[in-house]
């Protein structure tokens, strides 16, 4: 006990020192996206809302700014906007010199009824289920033997609202090997996503067999003993490993009597067309407590839409036979919050890509989290789509916007210096309605005074695609695939307008198209003085443009 207190004290002061030692104004430091003060992060883990606080754990290397010594870092927030970095929650066992177990991705639930029996007097225990990665063959305290580099599923519990955790060493890992006939997959068996399923009064875990492109669904009465129920996959995109799965219900078109289930699956490599590396696909279907059954039209066999996206000229298609959650290169390992009502389903993703994640030019941290996004399911153009809405306390951090109408843009329309962290909304008529032969319309952001450095966010009227072009966005030197343009399908709204909601930060651009059914997320690394913007209309004029620009304040002050 004494040791634990001392250790905790040491970590608290270490974190405080680390945080007080950084300015949060370094070149490229995101101002309203979460980053740790220093060091490497990847997947968000254990997203859980309780007692008015959003907790976010994440894959964290306490000792460096590249992947390694994987531990669970921790941050908390009252508003999904201002985050406070907390002491490391699960530190790699044996860190730093003799690591025998790393804590890979997983999730956290609050065991209200003490089904696990981990509770003591008082509050409900919190239970984390995660993948244990064992770098070396060994016999564990539970007596179980694990193999070299084995991945297995373990649990830990917290009796202090998620601050400190105790691993269940008496029995871990509680799922040692993949089930028959997949026992040989023990090197790629990971990322449990757990949630409570009320109709059968059981816990559900979705775990990935990464190389086989399968998800396994388990259930448990008590979070300790798990039974295999079913498997899902492979379907749609299979250009890389499947990992970081999530399964959750969403009402269709806001109707609580029409609930569908959504499975999201990280894919690395083999992301969206035109990207290299990581991406996320989703499936819409039904779940009955044991089996997830995708809707037939959620499974692609080369339908019209994918033919269309495959045929566009600028972007080499990789595997577009999928429903992409985001069409950019920097949106991976999304996880949904446990503990929120169904109509507030909110995800956060890692805003980076395994293709170049370790070489992005940031210091002393590396990698940021996406803007939290609230999800809904809407019927758009006769299809069911996951719709995403950026969810932060915008009122608290956004200055009053400059709203204007620009009657006509031909060539460029200068906007001057708009800054480095801005919320931009752009609505314009689609070509049929009111443009005068223009082929592309959009806004250039994070540009240098002479526009030799710039990032373009726009819409291609002929192909009905939104795009972000970061070819000359700043430092693109660290990876040969980084200087690229990314396209995503977006039909005009029923009133023949296109709306782009664009969030620019010191090292990222996220665009939400239409109602949020199409998003593109990209990192950029522009110069500090790249603060200029202008509208552009290529090949003709675009008329009656509604523009709103609001500065976003730092969440670190
Ligand atoms: C804080 O910064 C100083 C000076 O740059 C450095 O010597 C020290 O190691 C840093 N402390 C931590 C905790 O990073
Ligand atoms: C590393 O830790 C394991 C497990 O605690 C122990 O058996 C082993 O002797 C340690 N190795 C070294 C080099 O300290
Ligand atoms: C807790 O117990 C109640 C009453 O038995 C039950 O309805 C509910 O589903 C349980 N919830 C959880 C999360 O265990
Ligand atoms: C939870 O269950 C354990 C084991 O049965 C018991 O010791 C503990 O008191 C329970 N805690 C609560 C809060 O009910
Ligand atoms: C769930 O659906 C699957 C597939 O249709 C079926 O085999 C299974 O029996 C169903 N389970 C329950 C509990 O209804
Ligand atoms: C608001 O936007 C208009 C049109 O782009 C521009 O002329 C004006 O200077 C802006 N005003 C402020 C206060 O930024
Ligand atoms: C349409 O474009 C032509 C040629 O670029 C231009 O002369 C004309 O003024 C434009 N009309 C409108 C309504 O913008
Ligand atoms: C992206 O922008 C660059 C620089 O402006 C340009 O050369 C390139 O053609 C654009 N790429 C696409 C696919 O539009
Ligand atoms: C902007 O910053 C870059 C990189 O620091 C520098 O090379 C350039 O001279 C600056 N431009 C102006 C106009 O100050």
């Amino acid at each position: 006990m004494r040791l634990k207190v001392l250790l905790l004290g040491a970590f608290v002061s270490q974190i405080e020192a680390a945080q007080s030692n950084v300015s949060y104004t370094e070149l490229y430091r995101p101002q309203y996206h979460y980053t740790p003060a220093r060091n490497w992060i990847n997947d968000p883990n254990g997203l859980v809302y309780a007692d008015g606080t959003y907790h976010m754990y994440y894959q964290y290397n306490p000792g460096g700014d590249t992947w390694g010594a994987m531990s669970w870092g921790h941050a908390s927030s009252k508003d999904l906007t201002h985050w406070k970095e907390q002491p490391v929650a699960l530190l790699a066992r044996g860190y730093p010199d003799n690591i025998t177990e790393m804590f890979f991705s997983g999730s956290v639930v609050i065991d209200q009824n003490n089904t696990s029996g981990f509770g003591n007097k008082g509050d409900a225990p919190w239970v984390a289920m995660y993948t244990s990665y064992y770098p070396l063959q060994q016999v564990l305290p539970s007596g179980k033997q694990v193999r070299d580099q084995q991945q297995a599923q373990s649990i830990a519990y917290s009796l202090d609202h998620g601050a400190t955790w105790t691993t269940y060493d008496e029995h871990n890992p509680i799922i040692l090997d993949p089930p028959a006939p997949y026992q040989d997959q023990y090197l790629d068996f990971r990322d449990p996503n757990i949630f409570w399923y009320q109709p059968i009064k059981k816990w559900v875990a979705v775990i990935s067999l990464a190389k086989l492109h399968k998800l396994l669904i388990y259930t448990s009465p008590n979070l300790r003993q798990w039974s295999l129920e079913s498997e899902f996959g492979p379907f749609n995109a299979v250009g890389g490993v499947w990992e970081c799965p999530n399964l959750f219900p969403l009402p269709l078109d806001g109707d609580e009597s029409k609930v569908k289930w959504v499975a999201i699956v990280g894919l690395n490599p083999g992301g969206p067309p035109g990207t290299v590396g990581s991406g996320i696909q989703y499936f819409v279907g039904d779940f009955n407590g044991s089996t997830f059954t995708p809707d037939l039209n959620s499974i692609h066999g080369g339908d019209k839409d994918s033919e269309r996206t495959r045929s566009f000229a600028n972007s080499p298609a990789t595997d577009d036979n999928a429903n992409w959650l985001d069409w950019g290169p920097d949106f991976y390992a999304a996880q949904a919050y446990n503990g929120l009502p169904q109509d507030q389903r909110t995800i956060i993703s890692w805003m980076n890509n395994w293709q170049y994640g370790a070489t992005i030019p940031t210091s002393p941290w590396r990698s940021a989290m996406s803007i939290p996004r609230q999800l809904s399911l809407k019927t758009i153009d006769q299809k069911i789509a996951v719709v995403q809405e950026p969810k932060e306390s915008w009122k608290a951090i956004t200055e009053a916007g400059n709203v204007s109408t620009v009657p006509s843009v031909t060539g460029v329309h200068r906007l001057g210096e708009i800054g480095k962290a801005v919320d931009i909304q752009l609505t314009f008529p689609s070509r049929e309605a009111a443009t005068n032969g223009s082929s592309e319309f959009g806004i250039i952001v994070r540009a240098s005074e002479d526009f030799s450095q710039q990032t373009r966010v726009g819409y291609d009227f002929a192909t009905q695609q939104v795009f972000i072009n970061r070819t000359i966005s700043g430092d693109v030197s660290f990876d040969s695939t980084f200087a690229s343009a990314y396209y995503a399908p977006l039909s005009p709204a029923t009133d023949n307008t296109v709306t782009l909601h664009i969030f620019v930060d010191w090292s990222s651009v996220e665009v939400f198209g239409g109602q949020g059914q199409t998003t593109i997320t990209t990192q950029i690394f522009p110069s500090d003085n790249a603060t200029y913007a202008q509208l552009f209309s290529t090949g003709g004029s675009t008329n009656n443009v509604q523009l709103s620009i609001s500065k976003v304040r730092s969440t670190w002050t």
Side-chain angles (χ1 to χ4, degrees), residues 379-447:
T379 308
I380 299 174
D381 300 333
Q382 285 92 52
K383 278 182 61 181
I384 299 178
V386 171
V387 165
Q388 305 179 56
E389 180 194 339
K391 191 178 179 185
E392 293 202 21
S393 294
W394 297 114
K395 288 212 175 88
I397 57 167
T398 311
E399 289 172 15
N402 180 359
V403 182
S404 59
T405 299
V406 185
S408 182
V409 181
T410 309
V412 300
H413 174 92
R414 292 190 175 265
L415 298 169
E417 287 194 83
I418 65 164
K420 298 190 289 177
V422 275
D423 168 346
I424 300 167
Q425 198 155 333
L426 202 54
T427 299
F428 48 95
S430 70
R431 186 176 189 163
E432 294 76 11
T435 64
N436 185 3
S438 66
S439 55
E440 281 182 357
F441 177 75
I443 186 167
I444 292 171
V445 295
R446 295 306 311 269

Side-chain angles (χ1 to χ4, degrees), residues 143-352:
K144 292 175 183 170
Q145 162 115 35
V146 293
R147 291 171 274 187
D148 212 19
Q149 298 183 44
Q150 174 148 15
Q151 297 180 358
Q153 321 314 319
S154 297
I155 53 178
Y157 59 92
S158 170
L159 300 177
D160 58 4
H161 301 250
T164 61
W165 293 82
T166 305
T167 50
Y168 186 39
D169 292 345
E170 298 89 320
H171 290 280
N172 276 340
I174 44 124
I175 303 177
L176 174 62
D177 288 314
Y182 309 122
Q183 295 100 322
D184 63 345
Q185 296 298 308
Y186 66 91
L187 299 174
D188 292 282
F189 178 42
R190 57 180 174 265
D191 306 339
N193 167 231
I194 54 175
F195 58 92
W196 175 254
Y197 186 61
Q198 180 66 21
I200 56 165
K201 294 201 168 63
K202 279 186 179 166
W203 301 99
V204 177
V206 184
I207 309 173
S208 138
L209 284 177
K211 289 229 164 100
L212 299 185
H213 313 118
K214 280 181 188 294
L215 307 183
L216 300 178
I217 297 180
Y218 290 76
T219 59
S220 170
N222 57 11
L223 293 161
R224 301 179 191 223
Q225 284 133 349
W226 292 89
S227 319
L228 180 67
E229 297 285 345
S230 68
E231 60 178 70
F232 172 78
F235 287 115
N236 293 358
V238 292
V241 294
W242 276 24
E243 52 184 17
C244 304
N246 260 231
L247 179 62
F248 47 78
L250 281 177
L252 178 58
D253 297 317
D255 183 346
E256 292 286 343
S257 72
K258 286 192 199 146
V259 169
K260 301 292 291 181
W261 284 73
V262 177
I264 65 180
V265 183
L267 202 73
N268 181 66
T275 67
V276 177
S278 319
I280 302 174
Q281 62 175 331
Y282 69 87
F283 301 88
V284 178
D286 295 298
F287 179 61
N288 66 3
S290 64
T291 305
F292 174 69
T293 309
D295 291 353
L296 274 180
N297 59 12
S298 191
I299 302 300
H300 292 278
D303 68 17
K304 273 214 307 293
D305 282 348
S306 50
E307 287 305 323
R308 194 191 68 204
T309 49
R310 182 179 287 125
S311 67
F312 62 78
N314 288 318
S315 222
T318 49
D319 184 343
D320 55 2
N321 253 350
N323 314 297
W324 296 106
L325 191 59
D326 187 284
W327 293 75
D330 295 308
F331 193 79
Y332 195 57
Q335 185 173 120
Y337 264 90
N338 276 323
L340 286 174
Q342 182 164 287
D343 62 356
Q344 290 176 34
R345 182 84 43 201
T346 301
I347 60 168
I348 295 177
S349 83
W350 181 51
M351 194 163 60
N352 203 349

